[in-house]
Amino acid sequence: MDLVKFVQDEFVTRNELPKFAAGDTITVYYEIREGDKVRTQFFRGVVLQKSGSGASETFTIRKMSGTVGVERIFPINLPSIQKIEINKTGKVRRARIYYFRGLTGKKAKIKERRR
């Protein structure tokens, strides 16, 4: 295992991203390649969880697209991530807010933590 950890530390490029946690509303800007064209797209939603550690760390974001919930999992060290903006910091008591999937309307509102 030490060899795998060594290779990850030496060769995997690290993105300098802001600190965020479950309950925060963030916007992820990432590149999309379509043929030889490159464009930037964003995904804004609530962070449900952060999982893993080191080079294999990921985070899950959920947003509502009309009446359908859309979740997307991003690796922290994804090279196509350009930047992450923190729009709101949420006040939640858990590290993984899976219960948020079942909430609708006013119940799906997360209190904002003062900065």
Side-chain angles (χ1 to χ4, degrees):
M1 284 306 269
D2 292 334
L3 184 62
V4 173
K5 195 171 189 84
F6 172 75
V7 170
Q8 285 178 349
D9 291 341
E10 290 294 319
F11 298 109
V12 174
T13 57
R14 293 269 172 168
N15 288 345
E16 292 298 322
L17 302 175
K19 301 268 188 209
F20 59 91
D24 294 352
T25 302
I26 65 172
T27 306
V28 179
Y29 293 88
Y30 58 98
E31 288 181 353
I32 292 193
R33 296 185 185 275
E34 296 170 337
D36 40 337
K37 293 182 185 176
V38 177
R39 65 183 177 88
T40 301
Q41 188 170 348
F42 68 90
F43 193 90
R44 175 180 288 146
V46 177
V47 178
L48 291 187
Q49 70 167 346
K50 286 178 80 174
S51 64
S53 63
S56 62
E57 189 174 356
T58 61
F59 59 97
T60 304
I61 302 179
R62 178 181 176 85
K63 76 171 184 177
M64 293 301 292
S65 180
T67 58
V68 179
V70 179
E71 290 185 13
R72 177 135 190 199
I73 300 171
F74 289 99
I76 286 278
N77 293 320
L78 188 67
S80 63
I81 291 180
Q82 291 179 342
K83 67 176 179 175
I84 294 180
E85 285 181 357
I86 299 175
N87 303 105
K88 286 190 215 173
T89 53
K91 183 179 178 187
V92 293
R93 294 183 176 187
R94 298 179 182 270
R96 298 167 192 261
I97 54 172
Y98 296 133
Y99 66 88
F100 193 68
R101 293 172 177 157
L103 303 180
T104 57
K106 286 187 180 178
K107 291 180 182 176
K109 198 179 276 191
I110 294 178
K111 287 186 181 176
E112 190 171 357
R113 175 174 284 150
R114 298 224 175 180
R115 294 182 196 184

